[in-house]
Amino acid sequence: MSDTPRQRIFSGVQPTGNIHLGNYLGAFRNWVKLQDSFDTIYCIVDLHAMTADYVPSELESARIETAKVLLALGVDPSCSLLYTQSQVMDHAELAWILGTMTPMGVLNRMTQFKDKTGAGITANLGLYAYPVLMAADILLYRANLVPVGEDQRQHIEMTRDLAERFNNRFGETFPVPEGYIPETSARVMSLTDPTSKMSKSDPNVKSRILMLDDPDVIRKRIRSAVTDSDPEVRHDVEEKPGISNLLEIMSACTGRSVDDLVEEHADGGYGAFKDAVADAVVEELAPIKPRYQAISNGDVRAILREGGERARELVAPYTREVKKAVGLKGY
Ligand code: TYM
């Protein structure tokens, strides 16, 4: 048996409820898949959630709900570490240290920040520094791989730069992590506006499919998905963003290639194609709801409590080492 330690995976999700098909196909399905062969750590990032408007009394229910959905999707606490960020304040401590090494020019280029402020969200320092906290999450655990959707690619790039910058200045400390982004469905698009991504915060509930939606709701959402007036089923993101999105969703749910699906459905009409997409999504999500219903809130709290304790123990020596390297008291 090899005694090479397993590569470490870290990823996070904001506790905002409304976990949708995009989160699942872009990231969480990989979270579950990777837990057999990697040392996996998954975090509900409530410190990040504070950068947007939020109601304090709702944060706990959002944490529990998010964890419960993750468990129902197959995140297994007997092999993955599952916890909430605010249980381990080392995240914030490392974010401060990394923040002192992050040029403002780099943060000014972050497209998620620009998108949010462009949409009229009032920026606070936390939102501006969001990618630094995210880098701290990943580097705190010395993760090698980060399973995320396409929208996080730029943040991962920044994390890699910060790891290199830190290592050059203070000595080899952090592995330079890599994103683990799926080939299809890395950016699942809205069902009502297929030129923007499916999002938890879209006020239009018809824009997304949630993990616990009933089959008839899923079918309705897909049947009413915005497409175009040319009846040919083909993959062309520019000309046919709605159909391309449905093809990618179906490909991700069935494991069949987009080309194969196009060949089968090219001339069959949109109605029949949408029904086939709906069948594939319904089948993929079918096991989730019964598993969700079998988990109690008490079980979830116990899992998170224990996860937080294990996470604190795991990072304590890492934090000491980092503080010592940068000239802070590490004892
Ligand atoms: P969050 O909570 O917005 O989303 C969780 C995961 O879902 C992916 N995702 C999508 N994938 C495909 N299509 C979509 N439409 C779609 N929408 C969301 C996201 O890419 C993400 O992987 N900043 C992160 C949370 C975070 C994090 C981290 C992630 C904080 N620290 C450290 C990795 C490592 C976020 O807001 O994800």
Side-chain angles (χ1 to χ4, degrees):
M1 223 170 79
S2 149
D3 48 8
T4 318
R6 295 210 291 184
Q7 289 232 311
R8 184 166 283 166
I9 299 262
F10 180 92
S11 198
V13 53
Q14 295 203 51
T16 41
N18 287 350
I19 292 186
H20 54 68
L21 190 65
N23 300 128
Y24 174 66
L25 295 179
F28 303 149
R29 216 160 61 141
N30 278 336
W31 290 21
V32 174
K33 187 181 91 183
L34 294 166
Q35 61 190 350
D36 291 337
S37 28
F38 292 87
D39 173 20
T40 39
I41 302 174
Y42 299 131
C43 181
I44 297 168
V45 294
D46 48 359
L47 300 178
H48 280 96
M50 294 171 74
T51 61
D53 264 351
Y54 75 101
V55 180
S57 59
E58 289 172 5
L59 207 47
E60 170 67 358
S61 50
R63 276 190 294 258
I64 299 291
E65 178 63 19
T66 303
K68 210 166 165 179
V69 173
L70 290 173
L71 293 166
L73 296 181
V75 170
D76 177 357
S78 69
C79 49
S80 289
L81 187 50
L82 180 66
Y83 74 103
T84 57
Q85 198 180 22
S86 58
Q87 292 176 292
V88 184
M89 287 311 278
D90 302 53
H91 287 263
E93 207 170 355
L94 181 57
W96 177 261
I97 292 171
L98 296 176
T100 64
M101 311 171 46
T102 309
M104 284 177 59
V106 169
L107 292 177
N108 291 340
R109 285 199 292 277
M110 291 293 128
T111 53
Q112 285 220 336
F113 179 75
K114 287 200 277 193
D115 288 349
K116 283 186 181 160
T117 49
I121 292 174
T122 314
N124 54 49
L125 179 59
L127 186 66
Y128 186 60
Y130 182 111
V132 181
L133 181 58
M134 190 167 150
D137 300 339
I138 297 164
L139 299 182
L140 181 61
Y141 290 89
R142 312 200 168 180
N144 308 101
L145 277 181
V146 188
V148 283
E150 176 64 38
D151 60 342
Q152 301 299 320
R153 189 185 287 278
Q154 195 186 27
H155 293 160
I156 306 287
E157 281 305 314
M158 199 194 96
T159 304
R160 290 169 58 82
D161 289 348
L162 277 174
E164 278 168 359
R165 205 182 281 265
F166 188 102
N167 291 346
N168 289 338
R169 169 116 197 259
F170 301 110
E172 204 57 33
T173 306
F174 299 123
V176 178
E178 284 186 34
Y180 187 96
I181 298 175
E183 271 173 33
T184 38
S185 72
R187 188 175 175 82
V188 175
M189 307 306 272
S190 155
L191 298 178
T192 49
D193 170 11
T195 59
S196 56
K197 71 170 181 177
M198 187 177 284
S199 152
K200 296 171 188 169
S201 53
D202 191 324
N204 187 351
V205 293
K206 293 184 180 160
S207 67
R208 56 184 168 255
I209 289 167
L210 299 181
M211 291 298 93
L212 304 174
D213 277 346
D214 285 327
D216 55 326
V217 173
I218 296 175
R219 290 182 201 285
K220 229 183 340 191
R221 297 275 184 269
I222 291 178
R223 264 191 222 122
S224 64
V226 169
T227 50
D228 54 70
S229 52
D230 152 41
E232 190 194 354
V233 172
R234 115 182 108 81
H235 192 267
D236 180 339
V237 175
E238 294 297 317
E239 296 282 319
K240 300 170 85 70
I243 289 295
S244 303
N245 188 37
L246 294 179
L247 277 167
E248 289 196 28
I249 289 173
M250 188 168 174
S251 166
C253 290
T254 56
R256 293 173 61 191
S257 72
V258 166
D259 287 349
D260 192 21
L261 296 174
V262 167
E263 199 170 311
E264 184 179 337
H265 293 280
D267 307 318
Y270 284 0
F273 171 59
K274 282 178 163 179
D275 284 346
V277 177
D279 286 344
V281 175
V282 166
E283 195 182 324
E284 177 71 18
L285 303 187
I288 297 169
K289 197 160 190 173
R291 287 204 297 244
Y292 173 90
Q293 284 165 338
I295 305 166
S296 77
N297 289 358
D299 290 345
V300 177
R301 281 199 194 89
I303 288 166
L304 294 178
R305 204 175 309 118
E306 201 204 313
E309 277 164 24
R310 276 172 54 210
R312 277 197 298 274
E313 273 170 33
L314 180 63
V315 299
Y318 294 157
T319 296
R320 270 199 299 278
E321 196 187 321
V322 166
K323 287 172 79 173
K324 220 166 131 197
V326 300
L328 297 172
K329 293 247 172 179
Y331 48 82

